[in-house]
Each structure stands twice: as structure tokens, then as C-alpha cells.
């Protein structure tokens, strides 16, 4: 059996939507499972919609999530060039060939003339019903057509759609889908400026790049009817790829397609990376800058419309490759469940190696001006990873591992502190400042002995010790924190705390 060749073919018209990343992922999984090729093709023939920076964004996204193309723009490959704007001449040649084969024709109608028709006739379409009355190579004498072409008169090439045909597609997800050719328009294939439309370029490239399977979003299903006619027109039906149209991604609330505006509306990322557009409305946050691990994003996206059955939810990329199958992709839309994305991120952070987490935390710590060693960052990772959802939480929620406590939880302080504790905490500070060897286990034993020697209970002292170190009742185990902070800092925090509590917890004494 030949190995599959699949392509991810985004148009660089802005930030790549997270749904596009899912399309890339499913293509990648399908190819890798069968030892095939995953190709990145940039479909940039629509100059009006071209956005600078969008191609770079696509490539950076694929690299970030680890879906590395075997061939494509920015990658090698024997079927290039892989950017459609670099293939212009190829499409012109094939468009003319289709005319020669009697499956396409030249149309000389000016945009203005068509505008007049559209204004006069509601639902005007260029098709088998109207083309006989329009200015094209089907209605003009051959000599005149040649004359107009020789004179360089602007014209387009349109697909000749014959009515009365049933066009059948065996979609790998949807089963048989039938379109009636009588309902289709004569799509423009080559524009007056010599650029191909999406339909022509897409089919010519899928053919020349020997694509075996087209896996793409559901919104392209209607276009497939024209695509089948193109394959037939060129005589390529025997090597026509198989189609699989992926379900829509729905809004978090479950109804309607997830749109780029939903990010701002629901306060969640719907793009992989941050995108700085020309205006604030066109600028978006992404999963990466929100603090997702790429592995979590991949796992989340994989299950957005696909599940192999069974209970397993955590899948590494390799496990996804092994488990993936088109049969288990659902037909119905998949709700963009952001809570689930957060859950995946928590799970992946918890399971990550502390050293790896340290490399993710380093830039975040540096941005805040924290100067710490890799070893310390790995320690912080270990202390905090059960308590965070996003990577920035390490330096935000866990800020007290990098700088002094900013605020003490007032409620906890008032509940636990009384002036009688001042001398106890002074003695405790002395103990901490001189205790050897300064490690968590030994210190814990010593402090517990100290507490009972004072005739107190652990519950009288330990919550306050926690407040002294972190300011909050939540957070890592007290003595692990103390060990990470080190002897001097731990003692210093106790001193500061005693001074603060003495001044600020008066109400506890009076009340
Ligand atoms: N350029 C199209 C897009 O932006 C590709 C559709 C397809 O995969 O055929 O989604």
C-alpha cells in the first residue's frame, strides 16, 4: 500500500485559528501513523486577503506544538515550491489546458457588467442558465475570442459545469455526500490578474504533490463538488485524493461556530500564539502566552472531535499517533471546552520534569527581574506544580518564592495570632536562624519539639509559620518552602512577620 501524503494548506490571512491547529494535528497523526508525509503548503493566492506575518505565525505555531512538516514552506521537499504565489505559471498552464480539454472557457465580462446583472437580478449566478447570454468563449466566435486574447483583453477562465450530473463524494467521516451539478456555478479558476483562485490552485497542487488524503474543515465540503469536477476535467479522477471533512469547533456555550471574537467575549484564547494585529480588535492572546504547555494543547485539540473510545484522556503525541483513526472522528460539532483545556494543562504541568518546567519558568522569572539559578527554578517547579494551572502562576501565585511576602492573609492572622505568641516566635526565630543542618526534614522535627516544649499545639504555631513564609494559607509544605528559601531568608521572614503581627493583629487581642 502506498504511504499517505497529506497536506495542511492554510491561507496566511491573519492569525491561525486554533481550529486550524487541530486540522494540522489530524493530518499529522494520520500521516505519521502510516509512515506517510505531512506537508505544509501556504495558499497565498488571494492577494487581497494576504496579511504579512501570517505565514511566519503558522510556521512558528507548528514548531511550538511540535508538528514538524516533512515537506513544505520553510522545510525541504521534492515537490516544491510549496508556497502558491511561487507557482503562478503552473496554474496558468493548467487553466489553459482545461480550456483545451473543453472543460473550462474564457469569460470577458467586465466586473462592471456583472455588477449590473447582479443589481438587476436577485441571486444572479454565472452558470449553465446564464452563460449563454454572457461574453465568453462559448458565445463569441472563435476568431473573436482569439483576437481578444491576442489583444490582451482582461479575461478570466471559468469552469464549465454541465447540468444534470450527480456528483458523489465518499467522505471518510460523513459517508456519501451528493451534490447536483445544476446547482453549481461556473467558478472562476484563473483571475484576470493571472492568479489562480483557491479551487484551481488547490486541485493542481494536490495532484502535483501526490496528495492521497484531504483532511480539512467542514466549511470546505461544498467546494468539494467543484473539486471533483476539476479532477474529472483534467482526467485525474483515478488519483483523486480521498476526502475527510472535520466537524466544526463550537463556542464554549455549545451553540454556533467558535469565532475569533469569542476569545475576547469569553476571556479565553482561541489562537495558539499571541497575535499583534494593526488594531486592538485584531490583536489576540494565545495559548502559549497564557501559559499552556504545547503537549497539553495537542492533547486537548486531539480530543476536540475525536476519541478512540475507552477511558483514557491523557495521550502523548506518540500515543495519539498510535491511537488515531479517522473512523473515530465525530460528525457533530465539538464544543470548545476551555475548562477541559485548563485541566489538561494542570495534568501536564504536574507530570512534567522539574528541570523542563524550570526552562519554561526562566523567561517568566527574568521578566519579573528575579535572578535565580536553574537548580532553584527546578525546586520552585517541584514545590508549586501541584498548585498551578498556567506557567505564569509559578511566578505569580508563587511570587513569595522569589521575593518577600507582600501581604499576609489578614483573616488567618487575626484568627491565629495573639500577643502571647510574640516571645514564642522570637525564640522560634532564634532556633531557625541557628539550626543545623538546615534541611526540611530535620527542621520540621526540631520545630515540632520546640512547639511541645512550649506547651503549645502544632495548630497554634504552624499556620503562623506558613503565613510568615508565604503570606497565604495555601501553598507548598512549610518545611519544604523553608529549605528552598534557605536559612537566612527563612529567619528574616520570621523576624519581619513577628514585627508585623505585633503591630497589626491587635484586634485579635482585644476581640
Ligand atoms: N487554504 C484553505 C484554508 O485556508 C485550504 C482548504 C483546504 O485544505 O483545501 O483553509
Amino acid at each position: 500500500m502506498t504511504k499517505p501524503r497529506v497536506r495542511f494548506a492554510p491561507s496566511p490571512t491573519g492569525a491561525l485559528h486554533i481550529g486550524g491547529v487541530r486540522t494540522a494535528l489530524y493530518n499529522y497523526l494520520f500521516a505519521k501513523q502510516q509512515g506517510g508525509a505531512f506537508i505544509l503548503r501556504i495558499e497565498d493566492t488571494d492577494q487581497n486577503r494576504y496579511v504579512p506575518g501570517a505565514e511566519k505565525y503558522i510556521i512558528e505555531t507548528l514548531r511550538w506544538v511540535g508538528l514538524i512538516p516533512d515537506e513544505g514552506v520553510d522545510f525541504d521537499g521534492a515537490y516544491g515550491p510549496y508556497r502558491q504565489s511561487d507557482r503562478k505559471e503552473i496554474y496558468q498552464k493548467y487553466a489553459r489546458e482545461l480550456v483545451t480539454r473543453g472543460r473550462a472557457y474564457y469569460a470577458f465580462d467586465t466586473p462592471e457588467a456583472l455588477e449590473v446583472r447582479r443589481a438587476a437580478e436577485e441571486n444572479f449566478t454565472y452558470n449553465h442558465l446564464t452563460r449563454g447570454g454572457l461574453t465568453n468563449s462559448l458565445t463569441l466566435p472563435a476568431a473573436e475570442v482569439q483576437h481578444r486574447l491576442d489583444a490582451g483583453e482582461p479575461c478570466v477562465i471559468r469552469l464549465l459545469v454541465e447540468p444534470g450530473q450527480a456528483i458523489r463524494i465518499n467522505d471518510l467521516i460523513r459517508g456519501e455526500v451528493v451534490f447536483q451539478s445544476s446547482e453549481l456555478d461556473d467558478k472562476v479558476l484563473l483571475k484576470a490578474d493571472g492568479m489562480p483562485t483557491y479551487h484551481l490552485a488547490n486541485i493542481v497542487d494536490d495532484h502535483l504533490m501526490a496528495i492521497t488524503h484531504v483532511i480539512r474543515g467542514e466549511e470546505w465540503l461544498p467546494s468539494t463538488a467543484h473539486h471533483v469536477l476539476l479532477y474529472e476535467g483534467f482526467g485525474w479522477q483515478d488519483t483523486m485524493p480521498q476526502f475527510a471533512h472535520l466537524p466544526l469547533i463550537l463556542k464554549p456555550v455549545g451553540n454556533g461556530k467558535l469565532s475569533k471574537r469569542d476569545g475576547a467575549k469569553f476571556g479565553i484564547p482561541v489562537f495558539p500564539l499571541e497575535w499583534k494585529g494593526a488594531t486592538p480588535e485584531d490583536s489576540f492572546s494565545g495559548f502559549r502566552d497564557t501559559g499552556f504547555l504545547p503537549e497539553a494543547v495537542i492533547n486537548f485539540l486531539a480530543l476536540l472531535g475525536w476519541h478512540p473510545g475507552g477511558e483514557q484522556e491523557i495521550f502523548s503525541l506518540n500515543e495519539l499517533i498510535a491511537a488515531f483513526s479517522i473512523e473515530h472522528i465525530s460528525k457533530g460539532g465539538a464544543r470548545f471546552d476551555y475548562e477541559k483545556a485548563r485541566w489538561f494543562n494542570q495534568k501536564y504541568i504536574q507530570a512534567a520534569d522539574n528541570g523542563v518546567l524550570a526552562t519554561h519558568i526562566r523567561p517568566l522569572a527574568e521578566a519579573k527581574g528575579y535572578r535565580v539559578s536553574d537548580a532553584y527554578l527546578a525546586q520552585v517547579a517541584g514545590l508549586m506544580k501541584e498548585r498551578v494551572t498556567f506557567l505564569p502562576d509559578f511566578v505569580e501565585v508563587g511570587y513569595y518564592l522569589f521575593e518577600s511576602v507582600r501581604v499576609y492573609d489578614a483573616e488567618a492572622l487575626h484568627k491565629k495570632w495573639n500577643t502571647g505568641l510574640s516571645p514564642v516566635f522570637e525564640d522560634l526565630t532564634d532556633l531557625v536562624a541557628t539550626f543545623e543542618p538546615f534541611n526540611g526534614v530535620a527542621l520540621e522535627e526540631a520545630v515540632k519539639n520546640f512547639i511541645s516544649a512550649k506547651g503549645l499545639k502544632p495548630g497554634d504555631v504552624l499556620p503562623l509559620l506558613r503565613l510568615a513564609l508565604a503570606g497565604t494559607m495555601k501553598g507548598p509544605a512549610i518545611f519544604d518552602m523553608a529549605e528552598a528559601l534557605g536559612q537566612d531568608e527563612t529567619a528574616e521572614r520570621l523576624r519581619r512577620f513577628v514585627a508585623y503581627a505585633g503591630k497589626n493583629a491587635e484586634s485579635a487581642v482585644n476581640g
Side-chain angles (χ1 to χ4, degrees), residues 150-176:
D150 292 345
E153 188 173 313
C155 72
V156 303
I157 292 180
R158 282 182 183 271
L159 179 67
L160 178 61
V161 180
E162 299 291 8
Q165 273 179 270
I167 303 162
R168 286 171 208 284
I169 296 156
N170 265 314
D171 190 275
L172 296 174
I173 297 170
R174 270 142 236 280
E176 186 176 72

PDB file of all heavy atoms in Angstrom, residues 150-176:
ATOM      1  N   ASP A 150      -5.363  37.800 -28.088  1.00  0.00           N
ATOM      2  CA  ASP A 150      -4.128  38.363 -28.647  1.00  0.00           C
ATOM      3  C   ASP A 150      -3.958  39.819 -28.232  1.00  0.00           C
ATOM      4  O   ASP A 150      -2.847  40.296 -28.015  1.00  0.00           O
ATOM      5  CB  ASP A 150      -4.137  38.256 -30.184  1.00  0.00           C
ATOM      6  CG  ASP A 150      -4.036  36.807 -30.637  1.00  0.00           C
ATOM      7  OD1 ASP A 150      -3.670  35.955 -29.786  1.00  0.00           O
ATOM      8  OD2 ASP A 150      -4.352  36.516 -31.804  1.00  0.00           O
ATOM      9  N   ALA A 151      -5.078  40.512 -28.132  1.00  0.00           N
ATOM     10  CA  ALA A 151      -5.021  41.930 -27.764  1.00  0.00           C
ATOM     11  C   ALA A 151      -4.797  42.117 -26.262  1.00  0.00           C
ATOM     12  O   ALA A 151      -4.687  43.241 -25.773  1.00  0.00           O
ATOM     13  CB  ALA A 151      -6.325  42.612 -28.195  1.00  0.00           C
ATOM     14  N   GLY A 152      -4.775  41.008 -25.549  1.00  0.00           N
ATOM     15  CA  GLY A 152      -4.539  41.092 -24.098  1.00  0.00           C
ATOM     16  C   GLY A 152      -5.710  41.647 -23.330  1.00  0.00           C
ATOM     17  O   GLY A 152      -5.546  42.213 -22.236  1.00  0.00           O
ATOM     18  N   GLU A 153      -6.884  41.455 -23.859  1.00  0.00           N
ATOM     19  CA  GLU A 153      -8.079  41.937 -23.155  1.00  0.00           C
ATOM     20  C   GLU A 153      -8.229  41.155 -21.831  1.00  0.00           C
ATOM     21  O   GLU A 153      -8.049  39.945 -21.802  1.00  0.00           O
ATOM     22  CB  GLU A 153      -9.316  41.719 -24.042  1.00  0.00           C
ATOM     23  CG  GLU A 153     -10.549  42.376 -23.467  1.00  0.00           C
ATOM     24  CD  GLU A 153     -11.730  42.308 -24.436  1.00  0.00           C
ATOM     25  OE1 GLU A 153     -11.535  42.625 -25.633  1.00  0.00           O
ATOM     26  OE2 GLU A 153     -12.811  41.926 -23.995  1.00  0.00           O
ATOM     27  N   PRO A 154      -8.562  41.845 -20.755  1.00  0.00           N
ATOM     28  CA  PRO A 154      -8.675  41.132 -19.476  1.00  0.00           C
ATOM     29  C   PRO A 154      -9.759  40.058 -19.552  1.00  0.00           C
ATOM     30  O   PRO A 154     -10.845  40.314 -20.081  1.00  0.00           O
ATOM     31  CB  PRO A 154      -9.085  42.221 -18.473  1.00  0.00           C
ATOM     32  CG  PRO A 154      -8.875  43.520 -19.154  1.00  0.00           C
ATOM     33  CD  PRO A 154      -8.857  43.285 -20.630  1.00  0.00           C
ATOM     34  N   CYS A 155      -9.437  38.892 -19.068  1.00  0.00           N
ATOM     35  CA  CYS A 155     -10.444  37.837 -19.034  1.00  0.00           C
ATOM     36  C   CYS A 155     -10.127  36.857 -17.919  1.00  0.00           C
ATOM     37  O   CYS A 155      -9.016  36.829 -17.398  1.00  0.00           O
ATOM     38  CB  CYS A 155     -10.520  37.105 -20.370  1.00  0.00           C
ATOM     39  SG  CYS A 155      -9.097  36.061 -20.667  1.00  0.00           S
ATOM     40  N   VAL A 156     -11.124  36.102 -17.552  1.00  0.00           N
ATOM     41  CA  VAL A 156     -10.923  35.064 -16.548  1.00  0.00           C
ATOM     42  C   VAL A 156     -11.154  33.720 -17.231  1.00  0.00           C
ATOM     43  O   VAL A 156     -11.700  33.655 -18.326  1.00  0.00           O
ATOM     44  CB  VAL A 156     -11.903  35.220 -15.358  1.00  0.00           C
ATOM     45  CG1 VAL A 156     -11.754  36.591 -14.720  1.00  0.00           C
ATOM     46  CG2 VAL A 156     -13.352  34.976 -15.791  1.00  0.00           C
ATOM     47  N   ILE A 157     -10.726  32.658 -16.563  1.00  0.00           N
ATOM     48  CA  ILE A 157     -11.065  31.314 -17.050  1.00  0.00           C
ATOM     49  C   ILE A 157     -12.032  30.706 -16.041  1.00  0.00           C
ATOM     50  O   ILE A 157     -11.789  30.733 -14.830  1.00  0.00           O
ATOM     51  CB  ILE A 157      -9.805  30.445 -17.225  1.00  0.00           C
ATOM     52  CG1 ILE A 157      -8.969  31.008 -18.394  1.00  0.00           C
ATOM     53  CG2 ILE A 157     -10.182  28.979 -17.486  1.00  0.00           C
ATOM     54  CD1 ILE A 157      -7.681  30.243 -18.675  1.00  0.00           C
ATOM     55  N   ARG A 158     -13.160  30.228 -16.566  1.00  0.00           N
ATOM     56  CA  ARG A 158     -14.190  29.643 -15.701  1.00  0.00           C
ATOM     57  C   ARG A 158     -14.348  28.154 -15.969  1.00  0.00           C
ATOM     58  O   ARG A 158     -14.174  27.689 -17.095  1.00  0.00           O
ATOM     59  CB  ARG A 158     -15.550  30.317 -15.979  1.00  0.00           C
ATOM     60  CG  ARG A 158     -15.697  31.683 -15.343  1.00  0.00           C
ATOM     61  CD  ARG A 158     -17.092  32.257 -15.622  1.00  0.00           C
ATOM     62  NE  ARG A 158     -17.198  33.593 -15.059  1.00  0.00           N
ATOM     63  CZ  ARG A 158     -17.596  33.850 -13.804  1.00  0.00           C
ATOM     64  NH1 ARG A 158     -17.940  32.860 -13.003  1.00  0.00           N
ATOM     65  NH2 ARG A 158     -17.663  35.095 -13.385  1.00  0.00           N
ATOM     66  N   LEU A 159     -14.734  27.439 -14.925  1.00  0.00           N
ATOM     67  CA  LEU A 159     -15.006  26.004 -15.039  1.00  0.00           C
ATOM     68  C   LEU A 159     -16.349  25.836 -15.739  1.00  0.00           C
ATOM     69  O   LEU A 159     -17.330  26.493 -15.397  1.00  0.00           O
ATOM     70  CB  LEU A 159     -15.060  25.392 -13.638  1.00  0.00           C
ATOM     71  CG  LEU A 159     -15.368  23.896 -13.556  1.00  0.00           C
ATOM     72  CD1 LEU A 159     -14.230  23.069 -14.155  1.00  0.00           C
ATOM     73  CD2 LEU A 159     -15.589  23.484 -12.106  1.00  0.00           C
ATOM     74  N   LEU A 160     -16.390  24.951 -16.706  1.00  0.00           N
ATOM     75  CA  LEU A 160     -17.643  24.683 -17.412  1.00  0.00           C
ATOM     76  C   LEU A 160     -18.370  23.557 -16.673  1.00  0.00           C
ATOM     77  O   LEU A 160     -17.953  22.401 -16.729  1.00  0.00           O
ATOM     78  CB  LEU A 160     -17.320  24.265 -18.858  1.00  0.00           C
ATOM     79  CG  LEU A 160     -18.493  23.893 -19.761  1.00  0.00           C
ATOM     80  CD1 LEU A 160     -19.458  25.064 -19.933  1.00  0.00           C
ATOM     81  CD2 LEU A 160     -17.978  23.459 -21.136  1.00  0.00           C
ATOM     82  N   VAL A 161     -19.428  23.955 -15.975  1.00  0.00           N
ATOM     83  CA  VAL A 161     -20.180  22.947 -15.206  1.00  0.00           C
ATOM     84  C   VAL A 161     -21.408  22.534 -16.014  1.00  0.00           C
ATOM     85  O   VAL A 161     -22.289  23.341 -16.258  1.00  0.00           O
ATOM     86  CB  VAL A 161     -20.606  23.498 -13.821  1.00  0.00           C
ATOM     87  CG1 VAL A 161     -21.373  22.433 -13.037  1.00  0.00           C
ATOM     88  CG2 VAL A 161     -19.395  23.969 -13.028  1.00  0.00           C
ATOM     89  N   GLU A 162     -21.425  21.287 -16.434  1.00  0.00           N
ATOM     90  CA  GLU A 162     -22.583  20.792 -17.194  1.00  0.00           C
ATOM     91  C   GLU A 162     -23.696  20.426 -16.209  1.00  0.00           C
ATOM     92  O   GLU A 162     -23.428  19.784 -15.183  1.00  0.00           O
ATOM     93  CB  GLU A 162     -22.203  19.550 -18.013  1.00  0.00           C
ATOM     94  CG  GLU A 162     -21.101  19.775 -19.042  1.00  0.00           C
ATOM     95  CD  GLU A 162     -21.521  20.655 -20.220  1.00  0.00           C
ATOM     96  OE1 GLU A 162     -22.639  21.234 -20.178  1.00  0.00           O
ATOM     97  OE2 GLU A 162     -20.729  20.773 -21.170  1.00  0.00           O
ATOM     98  N   PRO A 163     -24.931  20.810 -16.515  1.00  0.00           N
ATOM     99  CA  PRO A 163     -26.026  20.490 -15.580  1.00  0.00           C
ATOM    100  C   PRO A 163     -26.411  19.011 -15.647  1.00  0.00           C
ATOM    101  O   PRO A 163     -25.961  18.297 -16.534  1.00  0.00           O
ATOM    102  CB  PRO A 163     -27.166  21.373 -16.091  1.00  0.00           C
ATOM    103  CG  PRO A 163     -26.871  21.579 -17.546  1.00  0.00           C
ATOM    104  CD  PRO A 163     -25.382  21.557 -17.690  1.00  0.00           C
ATOM    105  N   GLY A 164     -27.218  18.610 -14.682  1.00  0.00           N
ATOM    106  CA  GLY A 164     -27.827  17.273 -14.732  1.00  0.00           C
ATOM    107  C   GLY A 164     -26.945  16.132 -14.274  1.00  0.00           C
ATOM    108  O   GLY A 164     -27.235  14.971 -14.553  1.00  0.00           O
ATOM    109  N   GLN A 165     -25.870  16.451 -13.581  1.00  0.00           N
ATOM    110  CA  GLN A 165     -24.993  15.374 -13.089  1.00  0.00           C
ATOM    111  C   GLN A 165     -25.117  15.291 -11.571  1.00  0.00           C
ATOM    112  O   GLN A 165     -25.145  16.328 -10.910  1.00  0.00           O
ATOM    113  CB  GLN A 165     -23.537  15.762 -13.318  1.00  0.00           C
ATOM    114  CG  GLN A 165     -22.922  15.438 -14.638  1.00  0.00           C
ATOM    115  CD  GLN A 165     -21.484  15.951 -14.602  1.00  0.00           C
ATOM    116  OE1 GLN A 165     -21.248  17.102 -14.969  1.00  0.00           O
ATOM    117  NE2 GLN A 165     -20.552  15.139 -14.138  1.00  0.00           N
ATOM    118  N   ALA A 166     -25.101  14.077 -11.051  1.00  0.00           N
ATOM    119  CA  ALA A 166     -24.998  13.919  -9.586  1.00  0.00           C
ATOM    120  C   ALA A 166     -23.526  13.699  -9.265  1.00  0.00           C
ATOM    121  O   ALA A 166     -22.885  12.835  -9.846  1.00  0.00           O
ATOM    122  CB  ALA A 166     -25.834  12.735  -9.140  1.00  0.00           C
ATOM    123  N   ILE A 167     -23.008  14.533  -8.392  1.00  0.00           N
ATOM    124  CA  ILE A 167     -21.584  14.417  -8.023  1.00  0.00           C
ATOM    125  C   ILE A 167     -21.514  13.747  -6.664  1.00  0.00           C
ATOM    126  O   ILE A 167     -22.036  14.268  -5.680  1.00  0.00           O
ATOM    127  CB  ILE A 167     -20.921  15.811  -7.989  1.00  0.00           C
ATOM    128  CG1 ILE A 167     -21.088  16.496  -9.349  1.00  0.00           C
ATOM    129  CG2 ILE A 167     -19.452  15.706  -7.580  1.00  0.00           C
ATOM    130  CD1 ILE A 167     -20.872  17.982  -9.303  1.00  0.00           C
ATOM    131  N   ARG A 168     -20.898  12.595  -6.621  1.00  0.00           N
ATOM    132  CA  ARG A 168     -20.863  11.816  -5.371  1.00  0.00           C
ATOM    133  C   ARG A 168     -19.478  11.859  -4.734  1.00  0.00           C
ATOM    134  O   ARG A 168     -18.481  11.651  -5.412  1.00  0.00           O
ATOM    135  CB  ARG A 168     -21.187  10.343  -5.657  1.00  0.00           C
ATOM    136  CG  ARG A 168     -22.618  10.120  -5.940  1.00  0.00           C
ATOM    137  CD  ARG A 168     -22.919   8.709  -6.440  1.00  0.00           C
ATOM    138  NE  ARG A 168     -24.108   8.790  -7.275  1.00  0.00           N
ATOM    139  CZ  ARG A 168     -25.346   8.923  -6.790  1.00  0.00           C
ATOM    140  NH1 ARG A 168     -25.553   8.951  -5.493  1.00  0.00           N
ATOM    141  NH2 ARG A 168     -26.367   9.038  -7.601  1.00  0.00           N
ATOM    142  N   ILE A 169     -19.487  12.129  -3.450  1.00  0.00           N
ATOM    143  CA  ILE A 169     -18.216  12.129  -2.711  1.00  0.00           C
ATOM    144  C   ILE A 169     -18.350  11.124  -1.581  1.00  0.00           C
ATOM    145  O   ILE A 169     -19.347  11.146  -0.852  1.00  0.00           O
ATOM    146  CB  ILE A 169     -17.949  13.525  -2.114  1.00  0.00           C
ATOM    147  CG1 ILE A 169     -17.771  14.551  -3.225  1.00  0.00           C
ATOM    148  CG2 ILE A 169     -16.725  13.509  -1.209  1.00  0.00           C
ATOM    149  CD1 ILE A 169     -18.076  15.945  -2.774  1.00  0.00           C
ATOM    150  N   ASN A 170     -17.372  10.256  -1.455  1.00  0.00           N
ATOM    151  CA  ASN A 170     -17.380   9.344  -0.313  1.00  0.00           C
ATOM    152  C   ASN A 170     -16.498   9.893   0.776  1.00  0.00           C
ATOM    153  O   ASN A 170     -15.319   9.579   0.851  1.00  0.00           O
ATOM    154  CB  ASN A 170     -16.905   7.959  -0.744  1.00  0.00           C
ATOM    155  CG  ASN A 170     -18.104   7.100  -1.065  1.00  0.00           C
ATOM    156  OD1 ASN A 170     -19.073   7.068  -0.297  1.00  0.00           O
ATOM    157  ND2 ASN A 170     -18.055   6.432  -2.204  1.00  0.00           N
ATOM    158  N   ASP A 171     -17.086  10.732   1.591  1.00  0.00           N
ATOM    159  CA  ASP A 171     -16.298  11.373   2.638  1.00  0.00           C
ATOM    160  C   ASP A 171     -15.991  10.343   3.726  1.00  0.00           C
ATOM    161  O   ASP A 171     -16.878   9.598   4.149  1.00  0.00           O
ATOM    162  CB  ASP A 171     -17.088  12.554   3.212  1.00  0.00           C
ATOM    163  CG  ASP A 171     -16.245  13.401   4.133  1.00  0.00           C
ATOM    164  OD1 ASP A 171     -16.145  13.060   5.332  1.00  0.00           O
ATOM    165  OD2 ASP A 171     -15.674  14.396   3.664  1.00  0.00           O
ATOM    166  N   LEU A 172     -14.738  10.337   4.181  1.00  0.00           N
ATOM    167  CA  LEU A 172     -14.327   9.317   5.151  1.00  0.00           C
ATOM    168  C   LEU A 172     -14.995   9.527   6.513  1.00  0.00           C
ATOM    169  O   LEU A 172     -15.044   8.617   7.322  1.00  0.00           O
ATOM    170  CB  LEU A 172     -12.807   9.325   5.314  1.00  0.00           C
ATOM    171  CG  LEU A 172     -12.021   8.935   4.060  1.00  0.00           C
ATOM    172  CD1 LEU A 172     -10.528   9.129   4.286  1.00  0.00           C
ATOM    173  CD2 LEU A 172     -12.318   7.494   3.673  1.00  0.00           C
ATOM    174  N   ILE A 173     -15.496  10.719   6.756  1.00  0.00           N
ATOM    175  CA  ILE A 173     -16.176  10.984   8.027  1.00  0.00           C
ATOM    176  C   ILE A 173     -17.697  10.993   7.833  1.00  0.00           C
ATOM    177  O   ILE A 173     -18.440  10.447   8.627  1.00  0.00           O
ATOM    178  CB  ILE A 173     -15.691  12.323   8.632  1.00  0.00           C
ATOM    179  CG1 ILE A 173     -14.199  12.220   8.949  1.00  0.00           C
ATOM    180  CG2 ILE A 173     -16.492  12.670   9.892  1.00  0.00           C
ATOM    181  CD1 ILE A 173     -13.531  13.521   9.325  1.00  0.00           C
ATOM    182  N   ARG A 174     -18.120  11.605   6.769  1.00  0.00           N
ATOM    183  CA  ARG A 174     -19.567  11.796   6.557  1.00  0.00           C
ATOM    184  C   ARG A 174     -20.249  10.737   5.697  1.00  0.00           C
ATOM    185  O   ARG A 174     -21.463  10.748   5.541  1.00  0.00           O
ATOM    186  CB  ARG A 174     -19.787  13.152   5.875  1.00  0.00           C
ATOM    187  CG  ARG A 174     -19.966  14.258   6.855  1.00  0.00           C
ATOM    188  CD  ARG A 174     -19.296  15.517   6.378  1.00  0.00           C
ATOM    189  NE  ARG A 174     -18.372  15.939   7.413  1.00  0.00           N
ATOM    190  CZ  ARG A 174     -18.749  16.597   8.489  1.00  0.00           C
ATOM    191  NH1 ARG A 174     -19.992  16.950   8.651  1.00  0.00           N
ATOM    192  NH2 ARG A 174     -17.872  16.906   9.414  1.00  0.00           N
ATOM    193  N   GLY A 175     -19.483   9.858   5.086  1.00  0.00           N
ATOM    194  CA  GLY A 175     -20.099   8.887   4.184  1.00  0.00           C
ATOM    195  C   GLY A 175     -20.411   9.534   2.847  1.00  0.00           C
ATOM    196  O   GLY A 175     -19.785  10.531   2.472  1.00  0.00           O
ATOM    197  N   GLU A 176     -21.422   9.020   2.133  1.00  0.00           N
ATOM    198  CA  GLU A 176     -21.686   9.564   0.805  1.00  0.00           C
ATOM    199  C   GLU A 176     -22.388  10.924   0.891  1.00  0.00           C
ATOM    200  O   GLU A 176     -23.372  11.069   1.613  1.00  0.00           O
ATOM    201  CB  GLU A 176     -22.543   8.599  -0.017  1.00  0.00           C
ATOM    202  CG  GLU A 176     -22.687   9.099  -1.440  1.00  0.00           C
ATOM    203  CD  GLU A 176     -23.439   8.133  -2.346  1.00  0.00           C
ATOM    204  OE1 GLU A 176     -24.672   8.010  -2.186  1.00  0.00           O
ATOM    205  OE2 GLU A 176     -22.809   7.521  -3.207  1.00  0.00           O
TER     206      GLU A 176
END
